Amino acid sequence: MRLWSVHPQHYDRQALTACWREGLLAQAIIADPTRRGYAHHPQLQRFRETRDPLAAIGDYLAAVVDEADARGYRFAREKILKTGPVERIPVPRGQLEYEWGHLLRKLEVRTPDLWERWRTLPLPAPHPLFTVVDGPIADWERVG
């Protein structure tokens, strides 16, 4: 599961659709904590730490749908169970840098034109739910 901290404007088609699917899975897990499978996935930690985890994942998904709409894709916004208002979630700069490198490697192989567009950008915009703070890669990240 990859719930990017990077703004959806930077995703290629594959990342956008995967993020939508995985975000819906995360929403289902947050809505029903007894679900099996990814119930203890570390990327869900930052949503669960908010005052309203279901609204937080809903706001996350809403930004993904907004980007899909801007590109002319049809994602089913009605699948979002709940939205905010919610507090913005801090994302350490090191985490955003780590994810940016990970995404750029994927873009270089899958979508070279996007890789060419973004490869010199030192740090991408964060997903609208997140605010960048100083710090290393997040504790929950599985660095490979």
Side-chain angles (χ1 to χ4, degrees):
M1 177 183 292
R2 171 59 62 188
L3 300 173
W4 297 100
S5 304
V6 175
H7 195 290
Q9 71 186 354
H10 300 293
Y11 305 171
D12 61 356
R13 178 184 50 81
Q14 296 92 321
L16 189 66
T17 56
C19 190
W20 173 245
R21 278 192 322 271
E22 293 167 6
L24 288 174
L25 174 60
Q27 177 182 249
I29 293 165
I30 289 170
D32 180 7
T34 64
R35 280 183 72 105
R36 296 170 96 60
Y38 288 103
H40 302 290
H41 198 284
Q43 286 200 33
L44 298 179
Q45 177 182 333
R46 58 186 169 173
F47 296 96
R48 287 188 171 130
E49 289 174 350
T50 66
R51 283 188 292 271
D52 190 343
L54 193 57
I57 193 67
D59 280 6
Y60 181 89
L61 286 166
V64 174
V65 173
D66 290 346
E67 181 62 26
D69 288 348
R71 296 184 192 190
Y73 302 154
R74 296 184 188 267
F75 288 8
R77 188 180 296 269
E78 65 274 8
K79 290 186 176 186
I80 300 172
L81 300 177
K82 183 179 182 183
T83 56
V86 296
E87 69 273 16
R88 291 180 70 194
I89 299 171
V91 61
R93 181 174 306 280
Q95 178 65 32
L96 193 59
E97 290 169 345
Y98 175 77
E99 290 184 29
W100 185 230
H102 183 60
L103 181 58
L104 283 175
R105 286 187 296 280
K106 289 179 174 287
L107 295 178
E108 184 175 16
V109 172
R110 292 191 312 222
T111 320
D113 59 319
L114 273 182
W115 174 78
E116 190 63 42
R117 177 180 177 189
W118 297 121
R119 69 183 182 89
T120 60
L121 184 65
L123 192 69
H127 182 288
L129 181 61
F130 302 117
T131 186
V132 180
V133 297
D134 286 333
I137 295 173
D139 293 341
W140 51 259
E141 181 63 70
R142 294 183 181 161
V143 178

